[in-house]
Amino acid sequence: MYQTETKICQNCKNQFTIEPEDFEFYVKIKVPAPTFCPDCREQRRIAFRNERSLYKRNCDLCGQSVVSRVSPDKLYKMYCSKCWWSDKWDPFSFGRDYDFNRPFFEQYKELLFSTPHISLLGGNSVNSDWVNQETDDKNCYLNVGGHFNEDSAYNTYEFKSNNCFDNFWAYSNQLCYENIQCERCYKTCFSGECFDCQDTYLSFDCKNCSNIFGCVGLRNKQYHIFNQPYSKEEYLNFLKENSISSYKNLDQLKERAKNIRKSMPHRFASTLKSNNVLGHFITESRNAQNSWNAEKIEDCKNIYLAIDLKDVYDASSFGWGELCYEAGHCGGLYNSKFFLYIFGGGGDVTSRNAFNLEYCYSTIASNNCFGCANMQKGEYCILNKKYTKEEYEELLPKIIKHMEEMPYVDKGGRVYKYGEFFPVEFSPFYYNETVAMDYFPMTKEQVMENGFLWNDYESETKYEFSDYEIPDDINNVKDDILTKILKCEVSGKAYKIIPMELEFYRKMGLPIPRRAPLQRHKDRISQLLPRKLYNRRCMCNGANSKLQMANSYKNTITHSHGNEPCSNEIKTPYASDRPEIVYCEQCYQAEVV
């Protein structure tokens, strides 16, 4: 029987706990317990994920200028998608014998940076050159991490949606703008965690509502303003008198909506149709701990942005997998560990026909491979060299033993034996190009101190800002704005308004943004709850008005705990110093649902 153990992370030096069920999982997949804490493990994985730092550069095979996630100053080869998927080159020509006189990771790094990297991930898209890690898009621009979208731009994790701009996690939406984690919504703007809503503005945690403005926690309502009911005529008059087509008016209305949001109880975490789960935004799952933005996962832990997983630990942006560990940005794998950018069936992420992969990077539609990089349809390969089944099975245990006896040690003194993910300096991307900068922001000095790399590359294209003042109201914006170089009010970076974007703002009656797309993305990320759980007590103070505090909510009905404060303990991503009123499941259900 395993016992709970407390360890010291060899990276951040903080304590972390390994539970008995964790040890059982590690034994099942035949790996030693980790030496990095969960946060450092996630930071390390997503430091390999470049979503939105895109550049123009020439393919090193055909010479054509293409959009690429590999900046022109990178010294390793980059092939455009057409060339990378072609038979014009042989990934196995980079194969090499294993050298037992050198650490495995040292040999792997040489292989990783000698093989050509693909320009962008994704495929089957039309008129969507500037999208990354997207498939089946049409007329999309600067979308990342989504699938099956049309006429959309600047979205992160948009799925099966059209005419949507500047959203984070948008599923089956239409005509939506500046939302966070909204699904099946129509004409919804500046809202969060709203489902099945239409004509919804500046609202949060509303379901099956229409024609609502600045509302929180409503169910099956219409014609509400700041949580108060109105007639249809009164509602329409309010919209006329408080037009969001004006940038100044919109800013004032946002402040009023923020105050309403602070005054209403928040559910301690968003979970739906799930059992025994801890985290936030979890749907149709069971036995999932420390999981975030996850759907249909079972017996999982430390999961971030995932769908359809079973028996998986430590995965980021991963779908359709089983019995996997330390996985990033992949789909369709079985019994695999320590891998990045792998898809089971040559791009078919929903199939699980890639299996038995270890320490592999972008080895597409492959199985029974160890330490391979940037290849397709490999089997029984080590360092991109082909072996017979018998040779492979004889050599692999010797390599694992060698990794234990001769570990790789990085400049920071971190030791990488078998069981550790790729060292951070192996990332083909610099830290400030990756998703790690969103969730673990650091200064350049901190990045370098922690062993990551920093990108100082800037495009040779120089922009001269236009002598142009953006009109306050979209109704006063003319087509000449499409020719202007605008300056972001926060970063000072240049940005432009593209034609389909201007058409969208006019159709929706929305003002022109004063911030560049990347800054708008950062603004949305800053609104996300941290991927961390805090132990707290429910803030419901009961029905006794004498117990009501200045920043608390007065219940509309008597809860099961009566006049006394609720004693339920909760694990929530809302830290105690945040302004929100946080209720346990029972108190939230009593008030909101």
Side-chain angles (χ1 to χ4, degrees), residues 17 60-61 76 93 150 241 249 429 478 490 563 580:
T17 302
D60 287 314
L61 187 57
Y76 57 87
S93 66
E150 187 171 346
E241 295 170 1
N249 284 350
F429 312 108
K478 299 179 180 179
V490 175
N563 293 337
E580 294 90 353

Side-chain angles (χ1 to χ4, degrees), residues 125-128 131 137-141 149-153 500:
S125 293
V126 178
N127 191 30
S128 304
V131 302
D137 281 358
K138 183 179 179 181
N139 303 329
C140 290
Y141 179 70
N149 301 307
E150 187 171 346
D151 300 322
S152 298
M500 73 170 181

Side-chain angles (χ1 to χ4, degrees), residues 17 80 95 113 128 134 163 305 312 384 470 480 507 513 536 543 550 581:
T17 302
C80 67
F113 290 103
S128 304
E134 295 252 336
N163 278 281
L305 293 159
V312 174
N384 281 34
I470 302 174
D480 65 342
K507 180 190 300 183
R536 295 184 61 181
I581 302 165

Side-chain angles (χ1 to χ4, degrees), residues 54-56 66-68 120 127-132 140-144:
L54 306 182
Y55 311 88
K56 290 286 286 185
V66 296
V67 180
S68 174
L120 295 174
N127 191 30
S128 304
D129 293 340
W130 289 85
V131 302
N132 186 29
C140 290
Y141 179 70
L142 292 183
N143 268 12
V144 297

Side-chain angles (χ1 to χ4, degrees), residues 297-514:
I297 66 173
E298 181 177 351
D299 299 326
C300 295
K301 192 170 186 178
N302 306 328
I303 304 298
Y304 311 90
L305 293 159
I307 184 171
D308 197 2
L309 302 180
K310 180 175 173 56
D311 280 318
V312 174
Y313 270 45
D314 294 276
S316 304
S317 302
F318 182 37
W320 300 278
E322 184 173 355
L323 207 62
C324 293
Y325 176 57
E326 282 278 28
H329 336 306
C330 304
L333 287 99
Y334 173 79
N335 192 34
S336 297
K337 45 218 174 193
F338 320 114
F339 56 93
L340 291 158
Y341 297 114
I342 298 174
F343 301 98
D348 180 10
V349 297
T350 61
S351 63
R352 295 179 185 171
N353 57 354
F355 52 87
N356 300 342
L357 300 176
E358 296 186 65
Y359 292 108
C360 288
Y361 182 101
S362 195
T363 55
I364 310 299
S366 301
N367 54 73
N368 295 298
C369 292
F370 188 99
C372 294
N374 294 310
M375 72 179 195
Q376 307 171 42
K377 300 178 181 178
E379 187 172 19
Y380 300 116
C381 296
I382 298 174
L383 295 177
N384 281 34
K385 180 179 178 180
K386 295 180 179 179
Y387 293 87
T388 66
K389 180 177 184 292
E390 293 74 21
E391 290 171 333
Y392 179 87
E393 292 177 347
E394 180 182 356
L395 182 56
L396 187 55
K398 296 178 182 178
I399 293 175
I400 293 175
K401 182 180 179 183
H402 174 250
M403 293 175 69
E404 290 284 339
E405 296 172 346
M406 187 183 288
Y408 176 86
V409 182
D410 68 14
K411 294 179 180 179
R414 291 170 285 250
V415 179
Y416 292 82
K417 297 182 178 181
Y418 176 77
E420 288 298 337
F421 193 71
F422 301 108
V424 295
E425 66 266 28
F426 286 25
S427 174
F429 312 108
Y430 298 137
Y431 192 86
N432 54 322
E433 292 180 303
T434 69
V435 178
M437 197 66 174
D438 287 338
Y439 298 99
F440 300 91
M442 292 192 290
T443 64
K444 179 179 179 179
E445 292 71 23
Q446 291 171 326
V447 166
M448 304 300 287
E449 182 181 341
N450 282 273
F452 297 93
L453 300 176
W454 186 272
N455 183 26
D456 286 318
Y457 172 81
E458 290 191 13
S459 171
E460 295 180 357
T461 304
K462 302 301 179 183
Y463 297 100
E464 185 174 334
F465 296 111
S466 302
D467 183 14
Y468 176 81
E469 183 175 345
I470 302 174
D472 175 65
D473 197 298
I474 185 62
N475 294 308
N476 298 323
V477 176
K478 299 179 180 179
D479 288 351
D480 65 342
I481 194 174
L482 299 174
T483 66
K484 307 301 182 183
I485 305 298
L486 308 179
K487 186 176 182 179
C488 175
E489 66 179 7
V490 175
S491 67
K493 298 289 186 180
Y495 71 106
K496 293 188 70 175
I497 302 299
I498 61 175
M500 73 170 181
E501 182 182 5
L502 179 59
E503 180 184 352
F504 177 82
Y505 296 144
R506 285 171 170 168
K507 180 190 300 183
M508 297 288 289
L510 298 168
I512 299 294
R514 269 58 173 176

